C-alpha cells in the first residue's frame, strides 16, 4: 500500500524514461500495467547489444519492478481494442513513444482525452493525483 494505492497506470514505454517513471508510481502503490510488443521492450536486451550473453537485464528489471505486463500487437485491431479496455479503467497513461507513432495508434493526447475522460488531467476536471 502507498499513497497511490487504488490508481491504475497503463505504461506504453520503452528504454528508460517511461519505464523508470512508471516503476516509481508502482513503488508508491499504483497498479501499473506495462504494454509490450511480442518482441519486447528493447531495454530487455541492452546487455546483448554490448556482447554480454545474459537472459535477463538487471537494469530492465530495476525499471520495471512492481508491474504487471501484457503483450499486445497494436497494429492488430483486436489488440488495440484490448488496450482501449485497459485505458477505460486507467487513471494515468505513461508513454515515451514519439508523437507521430502515438498519432498513428490514435494514442495522441487529444484523442486520449476525448476517448478516456479519466485521463483528462489537470484543468479539465477533478485533480487525479
Amino acid at each position: 500500500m502507498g499513497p497511490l494505492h487504488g490508481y491504475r497506470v497503463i505504461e506504453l514505454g520503452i528504454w528508460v524514461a517511461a519505464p523508470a517513471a512508471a516503476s516509481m508510481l508502482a513503488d508508491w502503490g499504483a497498479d501499473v500495467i506495462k504494454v509490450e510488443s511480442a518482441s519486447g521492450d528493447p531495454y530487455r536486451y541492452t546487455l546483448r547489444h554490448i556482447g554480454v550473453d545474459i537472459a535477463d537485464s538487471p537494469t530492465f528489471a530495476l525499471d520495471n519492478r512492481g508491474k504487471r505486463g501484457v503483450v499486445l500487437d497494436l497494429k492488430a485491431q483486436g489488440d488495440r481494442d484490448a488496450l482501449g479496455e485497459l485505458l477505460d479503467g486507467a487513471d494515468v497513461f505513461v508513454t515515451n513513444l514519439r508523437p507521430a507513432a502515438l498519432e498513428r495508434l490514435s494514442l495522441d493526447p487529444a484523442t486520449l482525452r476525448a476517448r478516456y475522460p479519466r485521463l483528462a488531467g489537470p484543468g479539465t476536471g477533478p485533480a487525479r493525483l
Side-chain angles (χ1 to χ4, degrees), residues 32-49:
V32 180
I33 301 172
K34 180 179 180 74
V35 177
E36 291 185 73
S37 68
S39 60
D41 182 338
Y43 194 31
R44 286 182 177 273
Y45 314 109
T46 302
L47 295 176
R48 290 184 191 165
H49 296 295

Side-chain angles (χ1 to χ4, degrees), residues 25-90:
L25 298 177
D27 289 346
W28 295 336
D31 175 24
V32 180
I33 301 172
K34 180 179 180 74
V35 177
E36 291 185 73
S37 68
S39 60
D41 182 338
Y43 194 31
R44 286 182 177 273
Y45 314 109
T46 302
L47 295 176
R48 290 184 191 165
H49 296 295
I50 60 170
V52 177
D53 188 21
I54 186 171
D56 298 315
S57 168
T59 54
F60 175 85
L62 177 67
D63 285 339
N64 288 282
R65 66 191 178 277
K67 300 176 189 177
R68 297 186 292 148
V70 62
V71 173
L72 296 175
D73 175 1
L74 297 180
K75 294 178 183 173
Q77 185 60 50
D79 284 4
R80 283 195 308 274
D81 293 344
L83 177 60
E85 290 177 27
L86 290 172
L87 290 168
D88 274 334

